[in-house]
Amino acid sequence: MALLPSRIALQPGETPCALIAEDRQVQLLRDALLGVIGVMAAVLLTIALNTSLERSLSGPGTGLIMTFIFLFGPLLIQRVLGPRPVYMLTTHRLILAEDDAIDLRQVRRIRVWWTSVSLQTDNRSVALKNLANPPAVARLIRDTLAR
């Protein structure tokens, strides 16, 4: 496999099966939806406060908008431009990080969500998030388990 990251060391007798990477577009879509929901909640809260104080309805002021931009802007930029984790599926393990892996024989349950796959062992639960095709990733893990 030509795309094997250099930081991953394989055990003897272990061969790589697949690289599983997070999808940037899925993450951007989820973050955008959460942002829209947050803005809707802020507007509804402003409407509720104005109504309870019997004031005329007004939108959020420029001061509030600038506060949100300076507060959440750097966090958003770091999240969008930050590195994405790459998971390596081998014949024996699912390597999550340089020093973290799950032995495939310990996996007890695999659940597929909209954009993630959740793996459960006896003592741990791990989610592979922001996947473009979670059913295909789960099927790949199940097929590797069956071998």
Side-chain angles (χ1 to χ4, degrees), residues 9 11 28 34 72 79 82 84-85 102 107 109 114 116 137 143:
Q11 295 174 347
L28 286 175
L34 290 176
F72 295 112
R79 183 159 173 86
R84 302 278 178 272
I102 294 177
V107 173
R109 186 175 190 182
W114 286 346
S116 65
V137 171
D143 291 345

Side-chain angles (χ1 to χ4, degrees), residues 5 11 14 19 26 34 36 38 44 47 60-61 67-68 92 97 100 106 114 126 129 131 135 143 145-146:
Q11 295 174 347
E14 187 176 41
L19 281 175
V26 172
L34 290 176
V36 167
L44 289 175
I47 290 171
T67 300
F68 279 130
H92 302 324
D100 189 16
Q106 294 177 351
W114 286 346
V126 174
K129 299 178 183 175
L131 302 174
D143 291 345
L145 276 169

Side-chain angles (χ1 to χ4, degrees), residues 1-16:
M1 181 167 259
L3 298 174
L4 182 66
S6 61
R7 69 180 190 278
I8 295 176
L10 297 178
Q11 295 174 347
E14 187 176 41
T15 58

Side-chain angles (χ1 to χ4, degrees), residues 111-125:
R111 289 200 274 177
V112 178
W113 299 95
W114 286 346
T115 60
S116 65
V117 173
S118 174
L119 302 171
Q120 236 173 352
T121 64
D122 289 334
N123 56 0
R124 185 174 178 192
S125 181

Side-chain angles (χ1 to χ4, degrees), residues 1 15-19 88-93 104 140 144 147:
M1 181 167 259
T15 58
C17 294
L19 281 175
M88 166 70 68
L89 180 66
T90 67
T91 52
H92 302 324
R93 302 180 294 164
L104 290 180
L140 183 64
T144 305
R147 283 190 226 163

